[in-house]
Each structure stands twice: as C-alpha cells, then as structure tokens.
Amino acid sequence: MLFDILTLFPAMFDGAFTDSIIKRAVDKGLVSVDIHNIRDYSGDVKHQTVDDYPYGGDAGMLMKPEPLAAAIRAAKERLDGRNPTVVYLTPAGRLLNQDTVKELSAKESLILLCGRYKGIDQRVIDSYVDMEVSIGDYVLSGGEIPAMAVVDAVTRLIPGVLSNIDSAETDSFHNGLLSHPHYTRPEVFEGIKVPEVLISGHHANIRGWQKQKSLELTKARRPDLLNGAGID
Ligand code: ADE
C-alpha cells in the first residue's frame, strides 16, 4: 500500500510513523508513506497563498482550488500505474469504521487530502475526490490527525503487517463486536483476581467466556453493532 499525504502541515507527521507496527511495515516494504506540502503547489511563488475568502460571505477562509488540484495531479503522477484513490478527510464524510478500513486496505494506493480552515472548494471535491471520510462526529482543526488514523488502521490490515502475536483477530470490530476484557500477570492485582476460567487451561471454556463477554460488552456499550452483526 502506498500512502501519499497532502497537507499544509507536513511537520505534524514527524514521528507519527517512526515507531511500532507502521515502522515495521515500512521497513518490510509493505507500505510506504510519502508526505507533501500543498503550499509547494500554490503557483504563487511570492506569497504561496493557499486560502481565500468564501463566496457568499461566510466567516473563515477556504482552501483555494488551484493548489489542491495541482497537488492531487502531482500525487497521481507519482502513483502512476498504482490506481490511486483520492480520500478527502472531512467531518462531512462517511464515518470511518472497520468496514471502511477494510475497503480502503484493499486499494493499491491512497492519496489522503488534509483540509484546513473552513474546508476546501467544492469543485475540488466534485472533480478530484473519490471518497470523503470522517473519523467521528467532532470537528478537528484539520485532516492531519484523521489521515494518521487512516494510515494506522489500514496498515494493520495489510497482509504480512501483523504478526500472530498482535493479530487482528482479537481486535475489537474484527468480527463486528467489541473485544472481550483482557488480563495478564500477576494473577492477583490490588486484590482483584483474574477470572478463574482464563487460568483453567480449558480452551473451549475460555473461547466461550470470551464470546460471552464480547457480546455482553457490545450489548451494553454499542447495541448498534449487534444489529450490524446480525445478532439482537
Ligand atoms: N477534519 C476535521 N474534523 C474531521 C473529522 N472529524 N474527520 C475527518 N476530517 C476532519
């Protein structure tokens, strides 16, 4: 998977992918993350202007269409032959859930467009964007943190990225449910004991307990997921 990220704040990504699972995936050549500054495509050599007032007199500024279009065209050239999908991060987008993550992880390459200010000119969305994605019903200052979330969640699903040890199988949402509670040593912590079944060595009972807890937790916290998983 090739990620090409277009942003006005490339420094925000410093360190974001230099540790842990993503770093390993990059080192193994399973993913690459390339960051580009939209300002480099402003065409306005002196001021490098990338924003302007909105028509209609709303408060705040918008990102101008020309630098965005030029930045996307350049990213498409970089990813020529790799079938890039252009994803714009916006609170108005489709909510990023594990199904969307799966869909994105099946793509060959993603161009992640990070907005700032009050957003971007609609014509860029209409002409250049394939999918609009939101990471939740709240407003962040820009699309950079959402782009990091997409890179992280998508990378975890690329074959070969996760070892058995950090397998996605025990992640929440992998089967449409929240994950069951987890315990490690010591067996007694501040007077609270690990559930007996987990130290019983009885694998069928352990699986049964995990399934039961996963259902209980999902029912209590996210009943909407049970309907989605075909369970009521
Ligand atoms: N940009 C600002 N807020 C956002 C959100 N919640 N999701 C995606 N992009 C955003």
Side-chain angles (χ1 to χ4, degrees):
M1 167 69 71
L2 307 177
F3 297 100
D4 202 295
I5 301 178
L6 306 176
T7 171
L8 286 174
F9 295 94
M12 280 185 75
F13 293 88
D14 286 354
F17 307 128
T18 52
D19 272 312
S20 182
I21 288 171
I22 303 201
K23 178 179 175 354
R24 253 192 289 141
V26 170
D27 290 348
K28 281 197 211 166
L30 297 169
V31 306
S32 79
V33 189
D34 217 1
I35 320 272
H36 294 272
N37 195 335
I38 295 166
R39 213 173 277 283
D40 294 342
Y41 300 92
S42 67
D44 176 352
V45 178
K46 193 150 163 234
H47 302 289
Q48 294 198 301
T49 309
V50 288
D51 60 339
D52 209 338
Y53 294 96
Y55 281 113
D58 286 345
M61 302 292 270
L62 285 179
M63 287 173 78
K64 287 166 66 62
E66 305 94 320
L68 289 169
I72 295 169
R73 279 197 298 268
K76 285 188 166 175
E77 269 173 38
R78 285 190 289 274
L79 297 170
D80 191 27
R82 304 301 292 260
N83 220 4
T85 299
V86 180
V87 177
Y88 170 47
L89 288 315
T90 164
R94 162 175 163 190
L95 203 60
L96 186 72
N97 58 23
Q98 199 64 11
D99 285 340
T100 313
V101 172
K102 268 184 212 148
E103 192 178 318
L104 292 174
S105 71
K107 311 273 185 199
E108 244 187 290
S109 64
L110 296 175
I111 297 171
L112 301 179
L113 178 61
C114 306
R116 278 274 151 173
Y117 314 117
K118 284 284 169 193
I120 72 176
D121 190 289
Q122 183 61 35
R123 291 165 292 185
V124 174
I125 299 175
D126 295 344
S127 303
Y128 290 89
V129 169
D130 300 309
M131 194 193 280
E132 295 174 74
V133 168
S134 163
I135 64 160
D137 293 340
Y138 42 83
V139 178
L140 297 165
S141 309
E144 285 76 11
I145 290 170
M148 291 176 206
V150 168
V151 170
D152 190 295
V154 167
T155 298
R156 295 175 61 79
L157 296 189
I158 306 290
V161 167
L162 293 187
S163 61
N164 283 341
I165 287 170
D166 34 42
S167 152
E169 267 166 46
T170 50
D171 283 349
S172 280
F173 304 117
H174 107 95
N175 58 358
L177 301 175
L178 301 182
S179 180
H180 54 80
H182 302 268
Y183 297 86
T184 183
R185 286 190 286 188
E187 207 173 303
V188 182
F189 169 67
E190 296 187 346
I192 307 167
K193 207 168 177 297
V194 170
E196 205 62 48
V197 62
L198 295 182
I199 40 184
S200 68
H202 192 301
H203 294 294
N205 287 357
I206 292 172
R207 296 287 162 265
W209 180 88
Q210 290 174 334
K211 183 79 203 283
Q212 168 78 15
K213 289 292 166 193
S214 169
L215 279 168
E216 280 172 18
L217 197 64
T218 310
K219 198 165 179 182
R221 295 196 186 161
R222 295 292 308 275
D224 56 305
L225 294 176
L226 290 178
N227 302 334
I231 310 161
D232 292 305

